[in-house]
Amino acid sequence: MKPLKIGIGGVRGVVGETFTPDLVVGFAQAFGSYLGRGRILVCRDTRPSGPMVAAAVTAGLLATGNEVVDLGICPTPSLQLAVKWLGAVGGLSVTAGHNPAPWNALKFVRADGLYLTAAQAEELLDIYHQGRFEKATWDTMPTRVEHAEAIGHHLEILRAAFDVERVRARRLRVAVDCCNGPCSLLSPRWLEELGCEVLAINDDPAGPFPHTPEPKPETAMQVRAVVKAGRADLGLLHDGDGERVSLVDETGRALSEEVTLPLAADIALRERIGPVVTNVCTTVAVDRVAARYGAAVVKTPVGQPFISEAILDHRAVIGGEGNGSVAVPRVQATHDSAATIGLILSHLAACGRPLSELVDALPQAVMIKEHVPIEPNVIYTALQDFRDAVQEGAEGQADLSDGVKVTFPDGWVHVRASNTESMLRLIVEADGAARASELVDWAHDRLRR
């Protein structure tokens, strides 16, 4: 299987297999043609293939007559904030986020700093498939690539959004695993701005990923050790492009990536009651936190563009997904781990309570996540077969807005095609471990049919 994923999250694949220079140049030309001539920002993460892919992106954009501003190694949220600041018509981030090092991807950003919507992504895909690219002539093609630094601007926005002096007064000790990604250039600086004693590991952008760049308990071993040895107030674990963050409490307990959003929602709702946005397969803890404050919860399909649209449409106070991604609207309506850190540390400084106590006070449930590898040509057939089996059994309440979600009085099951890899994602949640295991078996029985 040679995976290539094209969808609302952009285009991604394994470099040297399906993700080739030809493909990258073609999508860059399509994006430049879609936006029209103007300034386009380009950044990348720290993968070995980054320079090659960024060069191909630059070639494609220049070929359509667009000015290119190279931000170098830079978190995607920093690029998104810089789009309006630098007067660009859009941006293109070269990053596969949480995927392993062999992967790379293109993420397409609009003039307002948000990702393309589903409809806009379809329009871009039409241009790519039809090859209807703008072609700059030799005498109208830009002759140089500009360079700019976006992380400093990101820090300015963060400083204005949070009570920095209050956090400084607490003098928190924070361990952070940057996964040798672009957050190596942002998070330690942001934590220092907040007056924290920073215990940074894997903060060398020239180094390889020390583990899979997906922030979850399984990849938190190193930062857990630093929290314990350094007696830190908390630990932070980043993904590969600065959108996701998971937490380790002061006891060294690695918290599920699902905890980040309920915690952020509880903090945000203490400040102002308003809608909370999340997707259909994020933990029920978000709903239960919102219910404590009488706040509405808006559910979307999986994918950051859906979250951003709903945040704007409903004027939400917080939004995000169960993978450690949180959007703090006072900073931007898109996932931003640095903004998430600012929100959490501000609250820790204000309340004076340890992170473990805040987390233990959240509603609790048991979630199981499984990946079902499957050939890309049969993913949707398998999903349809699962849907048919569920409907034949007439069990639970089915939601077909994104894959198949079946809700029971004491739990739920969600099966959907991954936006980023060739697999089905199976997520189950229930109030007890035994019931969660039963629901996993229930789902596998119907998948096997």
Side-chain angles (χ1 to χ4, degrees):
M1 179 171 63
K2 295 183 178 180
L4 178 70
K5 295 294 292 185
I6 299 173
I8 191 169
V11 54
R12 67 182 64 209
V14 174
V15 175
E17 294 184 12
T18 54
F19 199 80
T20 63
D22 287 349
L23 179 92
V24 173
V25 170
F27 267 101
Q29 288 178 286
F31 189 53
S33 303
Y34 180 72
L35 293 181
R37 293 195 182 184
R39 175 177 291 179
I40 298 178
L41 310 185
V42 176
C43 76
R44 67 179 178 89
D45 67 16
T46 58
R47 295 163 197 272
S49 60
M52 179 277 288
V53 179
V57 164
T58 299
L61 294 176
L62 292 174
T64 58
N66 291 92
E67 301 173 40
V68 175
V69 180
D70 183 5
L71 303 180
I73 294 173
C74 172
T76 302
S78 302
L79 174 144
Q80 290 175 285
L81 283 171
V83 168
K84 287 190 282 187
W85 174 56
L86 293 175
V89 296
L92 205 159
S93 181
V94 177
T95 175
H98 68 283
N99 289 114
W103 290 71
N104 216 325
L106 308 177
K107 295 185 176 182
F108 304 103
V109 176
R110 314 181 312 204
D112 61 357
L114 302 180
Y115 288 127
L116 299 185
T117 65
Q120 291 166 338
E122 287 293 336
E123 292 170 349
L124 174 65
L125 196 56
D126 285 344
I127 294 173
Y128 172 78
H129 284 311
Q130 295 175 26
R132 299 193 324 241
F133 307 144
E134 293 291 327
K135 296 181 176 63
T137 58
W138 67 272
D139 55 342
T140 62
M141 193 174 296
T143 57
R144 65 187 181 90
V145 173
E146 298 179 41
H147 295 268
E149 199 276 328
I151 293 175
H153 175 252
H154 195 169
L155 288 169
E156 287 181 17
I157 300 295
L158 292 167
R159 284 194 296 268
F162 300 102
D163 189 341
V164 172
E165 291 304 321
R166 183 169 65 185
V167 183
R168 284 177 179 167
R170 178 73 190 276
R171 298 190 61 80
L172 295 163
R173 181 178 293 179
V174 181
V176 57
D177 182 347
C178 301
C179 199
N180 289 337
C183 281
S184 303
L185 305 175
L186 171 62
S187 289
R189 288 176 63 185
W190 175 220
L191 292 169
E192 288 169 1
E193 292 262 6
L194 291 169
C196 300
E197 182 180 344
V198 184
L199 308 176
I201 59 171
N202 300 321
D203 58 342
D204 178 8
F209 291 153
H211 48 72
T212 302
E214 186 169 6
K216 55 185 181 179
E218 294 85 344
T219 56
M221 292 177 61
Q222 290 176 294
V223 73
R224 286 182 64 201
V226 175
V227 168
K228 290 180 179 180
R231 297 183 179 179
D233 294 290
L234 75 159
L236 305 168
L237 180 62
H238 279 295
D239 69 343
D241 71 339
E243 294 180 346
R244 306 181 183 188
V245 63
S246 66
L247 308 170
V248 175
D249 72 15
E250 78 285 355
T251 71
R253 175 179 52 164
L255 303 172
S256 167
E257 66 277 13
E258 291 282 342
V259 168
T260 307
L261 179 58
L263 177 62
D266 186 64
I267 294 169
L269 289 169
R270 290 173 186 269
E271 299 177 5
R272 181 171 71 87
I273 296 175
V276 176
V277 172
T278 189
N279 65 37
V280 295
C281 65
T282 293
T283 174
V284 72
V286 174
D287 303 73
R288 293 174 180 173
V289 166
R292 290 176 177 177
Y293 296 91
V297 177
V298 178
K299 296 291 182 76
T300 75
V302 176
Q304 186 174 160
F306 294 115
I307 300 293
S308 297
E309 280 189 273
I311 286 174
L312 297 177
D313 289 345
H314 297 273
R315 298 183 179 180
V317 299
I318 200 79
E321 302 185 274
N323 54 20
S325 298
V326 176
V328 183
R330 76 179 79 164
V331 176
Q332 56 180 332
T334 190
H335 299 162
D336 183 341
S337 62
T340 308
I341 291 167
L343 183 73
I344 293 171
L345 294 191
S346 293
H347 184 64
L348 284 175
C351 73
R353 297 162 64 192
L355 179 60
S356 61
E357 189 176 318
L358 298 179
V359 171
D360 289 343
L362 295 172
Q364 304 297 315
V366 176
M367 179 175 280
I368 299 173
K369 298 182 179 182
E370 292 188 359
H371 298 164
V372 183
I374 190 169
E375 292 291 338
N377 59 312
V378 296
I379 283 179
Y380 291 98
T381 301
L383 193 58
Q384 181 62 50
D385 290 344
F386 179 75
R387 174 178 172 174
D388 292 343
V390 167
Q391 292 180 324
E392 286 171 12
E395 300 173 77
Q397 181 179 348
D399 177 350
L400 306 179
S401 60
D402 185 354
V404 183
K405 181 178 182 180
V406 187
T407 302
F408 302 92
D410 56 352
W412 54 268
V413 174
H414 190 212
V415 178
R416 54 177 288 274
S418 169
N419 287 335
T420 58
E421 299 174 68
S422 294
M423 65 174 65
L424 290 174
R425 296 193 186 275
L426 167 61
I427 301 179
V428 164
E429 188 174 41
D431 288 330
R435 178 55 173 158
S437 295
E438 288 177 6
L439 290 175
V440 169
D441 292 340
W442 180 91
H444 279 298
D445 286 345
R446 282 145 189 81
L447 282 170
R448 278 192 289 268
R449 293 181 192 179

